[in-house]
Amino acid sequence: MISKSSAPGKVILFGEHFVVYGVKAVLCAINKRVFVTAETIDEEKIIIESNIGNLRLGKNRNISEIDSPLKPFYFLADKLLKEQSKALGAKISIRSEIPVGVGLGSSSACCVAGAGAISGLFSKKTKDEVLDLAIDAERTIFKDTSGADCTVSAHGGIMTYDKTGFTRIGSEPDFQLVISNSNIEHSTEKVVREVQRFKDQNQGEFAGLCSKESELVKDVLEIFKEEEEEESKKITKLGEKVIQNQKFLETIGVSNGTLRKMVEIGNKTSFGSKITGAGSGGCVFSLTNEKNTEETLNEFKDKNYECFSTEIDSQGLDTF
Ligand code: PMV
């Protein structure tokens, strides 16, 4: 038996860091995917193959003793194999289009596609059932995950999230994103701690920034809803919000010389550029449409930045 699934990565369009303090963030699934193929094998082993390494282990191992980024796949396979009456093993192959460790949701997409493919070997599950499995798998490597990245990967499209939950945005504006990679790996946990320090030392200023970010996200949600607006006006307005959001991220200290330079490059030709995710490294996105995507890509390529263009992925998890 063979089962295949794929799931998209994500960017945070607005609200990163402030979301930790109760503001809504806006996430968007992007059309860069992880593809997972799972098959049952007679040998009672779990074999995982990927371009970041391989894992070959017997069943029933203690998860906390496994030291591998492929741990979520082992967790999923072991859990689902245990539920079967027949003694079987599983072989899992992973192929990814999403750069790793730069805030584009690669590990969450792995968990969603992994949960889809491995569960598909035994039964047909709904997206929400696959999502629950994926979040459990993600917890094996990131204990305190909010589940936001897995949720947007499973359902696709654009959504808001805060501590109270997730809301899918029905109206998806027609835009493209040029994503450029600083190739500086960052630790989200460390950057979140640094922002906490900034907040503790600048309480009044930080509270003011949270209100401003909250207003900004409200404005963005209004812009998404505007129906009569021409798309070009809509994207210009969104671009202004992107530029404004980047200023807030600069203020709380999650930018640096490299990222500032990248934002400057992107701002030359796009509607607006900002850091996406934790910052201090990772990626910058530039908001574009068919008129300026190529030009913006070329600006980054000329300066030797790794970059690519992408669009909203409306589908989320795909099982086939
Ligand atoms: O680095 P990423 O893309 O996983 O984003 C982290 C987003 C933060 O707001 C900085 C942290 C969080 O848990 O929401």
Side-chain angles (χ1 to χ4, degrees):
M1 172 76 185
I2 290 199
S3 158
K4 296 183 181 189
S5 270
S6 76
K10 68 93 186 38
V11 292
I12 300 180
L13 293 175
F14 301 98
E16 53 274 89
H17 287 294
F18 299 101
V19 69
V20 175
Y21 302 96
V23 176
K24 269 196 170 74
V26 183
L27 269 80
C28 172
I30 56 171
N31 63 352
K32 290 281 170 198
R33 293 186 157 253
V34 171
F35 299 84
V36 177
T37 303
E39 64 186 291
T40 46
I41 52 175
D42 291 333
E43 194 185 2
E44 281 195 72
K45 288 230 171 324
I46 294 169
I47 303 168
I48 307 167
E49 293 173 350
S50 78
N51 56 358
I52 59 159
N54 301 323
L55 197 67
R56 188 189 172 93
L57 290 172
K59 294 187 329 193
N60 288 317
R61 295 285 289 262
N62 189 338
I63 285 292
S64 59
E65 283 163 15
I66 300 172
D67 180 22
S68 161
L70 300 172
K71 189 151 81 168
F73 292 100
Y74 181 88
F75 166 85
L76 288 164
D78 194 46
K79 176 180 165 64
L80 293 163
L81 284 167
K82 266 187 207 149
E83 292 170 5
Q84 309 311 312
S85 49
K86 218 170 147 198
L88 289 168
K91 185 174 166 208
I92 297 148
S93 318
I94 304 138
R95 180 172 70 79
S96 178
E97 300 172 338
I98 310 169
V100 176
V102 285
L104 298 179
S106 139
S107 55
S108 306
C110 279
C111 292
V112 173
I118 301 166
S119 68
L121 289 171
F122 311 112
S123 64
K124 181 137 187 63
K125 293 211 176 325
T126 64
K127 271 192 182 176
D128 280 322
E129 286 168 338
V130 172
L131 173 59
D132 286 345
L133 274 173
I135 294 175
D136 284 347
E138 192 178 38
R139 291 214 166 97
T140 65
I141 45 168
F142 187 25
K143 186 167 63 43
D144 298 323
T145 179
S146 66
D149 287 13
C150 281
T151 305
V152 78
S153 180
H155 289 287
I158 301 183
M159 66 173 212
T160 60
Y161 90 97
D162 61 15
K163 285 179 180 152
T164 63
F166 309 97
T167 310
R168 172 97 185 241
I169 306 288
S171 53
E172 285 168 11
D174 187 17
F175 61 70
Q176 293 169 1
L177 298 170
V178 168
I179 296 178
S180 46
N181 188 345
S182 70
N183 268 315
I184 307 171
E185 281 208 28
H186 60 183
S187 147
T188 298
E189 243 178 314
K190 183 163 165 260
V191 190
V192 167
R193 267 202 312 276
E194 282 161 8
V195 172
Q196 162 103 54
R197 206 169 310 131
F198 175 90
K199 172 189 166 269
D200 292 345
Q201 287 164 2
N202 306 274
Q203 303 251 0
E205 186 181 6
F206 195 82
L209 284 166
C210 282
S211 325
K212 284 186 190 161
E213 182 72 36
S214 219
E215 281 306 310
L216 184 148
V217 170
K218 261 193 216 145
D219 291 347
V220 165
L221 298 181
E222 283 306 313
I223 299 171
F224 283 167
K225 276 194 232 148
E226 287 169 3
E227 274 182 14
E228 292 78 20
E229 282 283 350
E230 289 165 37
E231 280 299 318
S232 67
K233 274 198 200 155
K234 216 163 163 167
I235 198 165
T236 306
K237 284 191 198 170
L238 282 175
E240 284 161 10
K241 299 295 169 193
V242 169
I243 292 169
Q244 208 175 334
N245 198 156
Q246 173 60 21
K247 291 197 178 124
F248 301 158
L249 293 173
E250 284 284 347
T251 310
I252 61 171
V254 300
S255 192
N256 59 32
T258 307
L259 295 171
R260 261 192 292 283
K261 205 156 172 203
M262 290 165 70
V263 166
E264 216 174 277
I265 295 168
N267 281 347
K268 276 200 228 165
T269 49
S270 75
F271 297 99
S273 301
K274 72 177 264 298
I275 291 166
T276 178
S280 292
C283 292
V284 161
F285 77 77
S286 303
L287 187 72
T288 60
N289 61 13
E290 65 290 341
K291 295 203 181 80
N292 54 3
T293 297
E294 263 327 291
E295 211 183 343
T296 306
L297 270 175
N298 288 336
E299 286 288 338
F300 283 106
K301 281 185 189 156
D302 282 353
K303 294 178 183 69
N304 291 320
Y305 285 100
E306 185 187 307
C307 56
F308 58 89
S309 65
T310 182
E311 290 173 13
I312 303 176
D313 173 287
S314 306
Q315 186 180 20
L317 171 71
D318 186 17
T319 306
F320 45 95

